[in-house]
Amino acid sequence: MTEAKKLFVKTYGCQMNVYDSERMAEALGAQGYEQVDTPEAADMILLNTCHIREKAAEKLYSDLGRLKPLHEEKPDLKIGVAGCVAQAEGEEIMRRMPIVDLVVGPQTYHRLPKMMEALDRGERALDTDFPEEDKFAHLPKDRRAKRGPTAFLTVQEGCDKFCSFCVVPYTRGAEVSRPAERLLREARELVERGVREITLLGQNVNGYHGLGADGAEWGLARLVRALAEVEGLERIRYTTSHPNDMEDDLIAAHGDCDKLMPYLHLPVQSGSDRILKAMNRKHTAESYIRLIERIRAARPDLVLSGDFIVGFPGETEADFQATLDLVAEVGYGSAYSFKYSARPGTPAAERAPVDPAEADDRLQRLQAVLTEQQRATQAGMVGRRVRVLFEKQGREPGQIGGKSEYLHAVHVDGPDRLIGEIAAVEIVEARPNSLLGRLVS
Ligand code: SAM
Ligand code: SF4
């Protein structure tokens, strides 16, 4: 028997990249590659990259620089670059980085097996097309791969919204939804492999409009309700949503579909209408606040999360203050905030930037408020009873950890046999990044 070839995958960026990395590892698994935990142990290294902010893209080049000595030691080592930097800068990567053998975009990685044949012939391979075919339908699967109790499932990809700061429509391409029947089949397969919770993924996931089992077009609410019928699947989440695609039936599902978890990531980006307009967001601060009210009317205990960009070109102190006002009014359980990063090829990159020191200062002020809101939300959980899906052992001996329905990390003293199960827990203490609880019978 020949020894299995070893694959090391590093994933940068969003959950969709995590999902894509799993699919690429499965595709290469079907070609005899097994995954290892270090680049040193690998015959093939795949870096699945993110292009959303400049820093994220720079990481690729510094990591490639760091791989040079390893490549000198192991000249047969193959190095591949996948993801959104590969899509945006594929040819430049090939030119600047001779150690890179393969460049593959987010929409062509089902062609990896073919590309690997080229590598075996000693050639380099680049494929950053936007093909017609659905890559997921053409991916070889490795069904032996073990699964934990939670999984991602990409239901929609790409984006047609063209927010003026964002590269996603250029790197991921146009919005495409996968057929519901196929998603239901994949969900059933995941459940058979031990998955209890599925997070539906899409750059604009609530814009989902896939072909339904009945031949009609289904929105995300229809899909969620159909998934809720899958026996053994206990929890459904989805991310990331756009406020303009939050339809009535999806809001209603938050109120009456038990398996849909009470946590929602709904980015607003800014609280200033002037900036929202310049961002091409097509919603206002007021319409967002009214939307949140409707969602909370359907599910009062819902924990809300969001994304914010500070220092967008033209942002004044008054605009920034409007963002702080919106945060104070809405109240977030968790949130991500970023300093604006000019991305080549996007309309906002043409505009004069805000003074970087000013942007840094605003980011710190916003993060202080968001951290305080997060802390208060966590503290508010103390004394409450939640249901935790246990995923793994905790850091301390005898401890196990998982997530509550509100996506809070929760640790308890408990037996390993509960891993993969959902159990009732009373929260006894809020720590900075997690909650401590005790099992209740
Ligand atoms: N589609 C989602 C939406 O519209 O909310 C988000 C997609 S993006 C991968 C995740 C977040 O990155 C965005 O919500 C935004 O806050 C942030 N982001 C995107 N482009 C950025 C840029 N040029 N500079 C700073 N942050 C950015
Ligand atoms: Fe980017 Fe999201 Fe805007 Fe699409 S909706 S352009 S992914 S920020």
Side-chain angles (χ1 to χ4, degrees), residues 52-53 165-166 203 240-242 267 269 281 307-309 338-341 343:
I52 199 82
R53 284 168 290 278
F165 51 81
C166 186
Q203 262 91 24
T240 296
S241 300
H242 192 287
Q269 314 296 357
R281 289 290 292 182
D307 289 346
F308 296 89
I309 295 178
F338 312 100
K339 188 164 84 158
Y340 168 73
S341 168
R343 307 310 295 126

Side-chain angles (χ1 to χ4, degrees), residues 52 158-169 175 203-204 240-242 267 269 279-281 307 309:
I52 199 82
C159 184
D160 297 338
K161 295 240 177 339
F162 290 91
C163 297
S164 63
F165 51 81
C166 186
V167 288
V168 168
E175 216 172 297
Q203 262 91 24
N204 221 334
T240 296
S241 300
H242 192 287
Q269 314 296 357
M279 286 177 164
N280 193 30
R281 289 290 292 182
D307 289 346
I309 295 178

Side-chain angles (χ1 to χ4, degrees), residues 290-332:
R290 296 288 90 85
L291 175 62
I292 299 300
E293 281 170 4
R294 285 168 52 220
I295 299 166
R296 283 189 169 142
R299 184 74 204 228
D301 62 338
L302 182 121
V303 167
L304 191 71
S305 166
D307 289 346
F308 296 89
I309 295 178
V310 301
F312 183 83
E315 185 189 69
T316 62
E317 180 59 27
D319 293 317
F320 176 64
Q321 187 56 49
T323 299
L324 292 178
D325 293 346
L326 178 137
V327 169
E329 183 160 357
V330 170
Y332 289 88

Side-chain angles (χ1 to χ4, degrees), residues 378-395:
Q378 306 232 122
M381 289 288 160
V382 176
R384 281 178 63 178
R385 208 174 257 216
V386 296
R387 290 177 63 74
V388 176
L389 171 56
F390 289 103
E391 292 168 32
K392 55 184 181 204
Q393 291 174 326
R395 254 190 237 137

Side-chain angles (χ1 to χ4, degrees), residues 26 82 176 192 397 439:
E26 274 187 359
V176 181
E192 277 163 25
L439 290 167

